[in-house]
Amino acid sequence: GQQLNQSPQSMFIQEGEDVSMNCTSSSIFNTWLWYKQDPGEGPVLLIALYKAGELTSNGRLTAQFGITRKDSFLNISASIPSDVGIYFCAGRDNYGQNFVFGPGTRLSVLP
Amino acid sequence: DAGVIQSPRHEVTEMGQEVTLRCKPISGHDYLFWYRQTMMRGLELLIYFNNNVPIDDSGMPEDRFSAKMPNASFSTLKIQPSEPRDSAVYFCASSSLRTAQETQYFGPGTRLLVL
């Protein structure tokens, strides 16, 4: 079945640094979603992408739909302590009716 | 606009007891999903409904799990009898395909502990 890989699995950065993470798929997707999950809460949608090559921003967050349609990238600029959490990617192809989720990237921001 | 609502937020029960989790999707959404999240297995899709009809329940772990959606604004996930390995966070999510751009919104989750 479809699988998503996220890289890195975890990362520790200093406050103020930029962050990059990615998500790769074994198959082509037509929709990518990025979520953030805070401890004890449900995943919250950050950015949605619907076209190959699309670049979308949400404040300090920018996500891109890879040209190959098998990957997506999320960047966070000038990280702050509240960026701490787990970031999940999710993808859907033309045939599926539900989303496949990656294992998440755990972000820690050091003051 | 209220998001996805789940209840209870926390549930502690003893092995063998019946557990019922509840979900109210976002009004107007025609898809509803139940997920389970554990440290070991991450987010797993258990079952999803479209227009109140179960479409894919292949993720339901075993017969002890059942889910219903009697109407567009309510769904339940039941575990009977519960076992310690069922301890996890259970999320409900809803979405709509009525626009070309689909997204999926999660509830806050129910944290289940089976002793």
Side-chain angles (χ1 to χ4, degrees):
Chain A
Q2 297 171 340
Q3 287 189 334
L4 290 183
N5 295 309
Q6 286 190 247
S7 177
Q9 288 186 331
S10 62
M11 54 194 315
F12 292 83
I13 61 169
Q14 292 290 136
E15 183 176 355
E17 288 184 352
D18 295 343
V19 175
S20 292
M21 61 188 75
N22 68 69
C23 185
T24 58
S25 166
S26 57
S27 55
I28 291 173
F29 284 162
N30 66 353
T31 302
W32 287 98
L33 306 178
W34 283 94
Y35 290 86
K36 177 177 182 261
Q37 185 176 24
D38 291 328
E41 301 294 330
V44 174
L45 183 67
L46 299 173
I47 292 178
L49 303 162
Y50 302 103
K51 294 180 182 178
E54 180 180 356
L55 190 70
T56 298
S57 293
N58 178 6
R60 294 178 296 106
L61 278 63
T62 301
Q64 184 164 22
F65 194 137
I67 292 294
T68 66
R69 298 174 62 193
K70 289 186 176 183
D71 53 14
S72 180
F73 310 90
L74 177 68
N75 296 312
I76 305 173
S77 62
S79 59
I80 59 178
S82 62
D83 290 334
V84 166
I86 303 176
Y87 291 80
F88 291 99
C89 63
R92 191 174 73 90
D93 63 22
N94 285 328
Y95 307 101
Q97 292 178 305
N98 60 69
F99 283 90
V100 177
F101 281 79
T105 291
R106 185 180 296 273
L107 176 64
S108 299
V109 179
L110 307 175
Chain B
D1 183 22
V4 176
I5 299 172
Q6 290 188 247
S7 65
R9 292 294 306 274
H10 303 270
E11 179 80 29
V12 180
T13 190
E14 292 186 341
M15 182 173 64
Q17 296 297 307
E18 177 179 296
V19 174
T20 299
L21 312 180
R22 297 172 178 80
C23 175
K24 177 178 169 53
I26 293 172
S27 177
H29 281 191
D30 49 359
Y31 281 85
L32 183 140
F33 306 81
W34 281 102
Y35 291 89
R36 179 172 66 177
Q37 186 179 41
T38 61
M39 287 292 291
M40 292 297 294
R41 301 171 70 92
L43 265 171
E44 301 175 278
L45 177 66
L46 300 177
I47 184 172
Y48 75 94
F49 296 81
N50 176 220
N51 292 323
N52 313 338
V53 176
I55 302 300
D56 184 354
D57 64 353
S58 59
M60 296 286 261
E62 46 197 278
D63 292 345
R64 296 184 298 106
F65 286 69
S66 62
K68 294 181 180 179
M69 192 165 184
N71 57 63
S73 59
F74 183 66
S75 176
T76 59
L77 178 67
K78 187 174 293 186
I79 309 173
Q80 166 64 19
S82 59
E83 297 182 2
R85 58 189 168 131
D86 301 331
S87 298
V89 182
Y90 291 81
F91 289 105
C92 175
S94 71
S95 70
S96 174
L97 276 178
R98 289 180 187 153
T99 64
Q101 298 182 337
E102 182 194 5
T103 55
Q104 196 172 110
Y105 297 92
F106 282 76
T110 295
R111 280 140 194 83
L112 174 65
L113 177 61
V114 183
L115 302 174

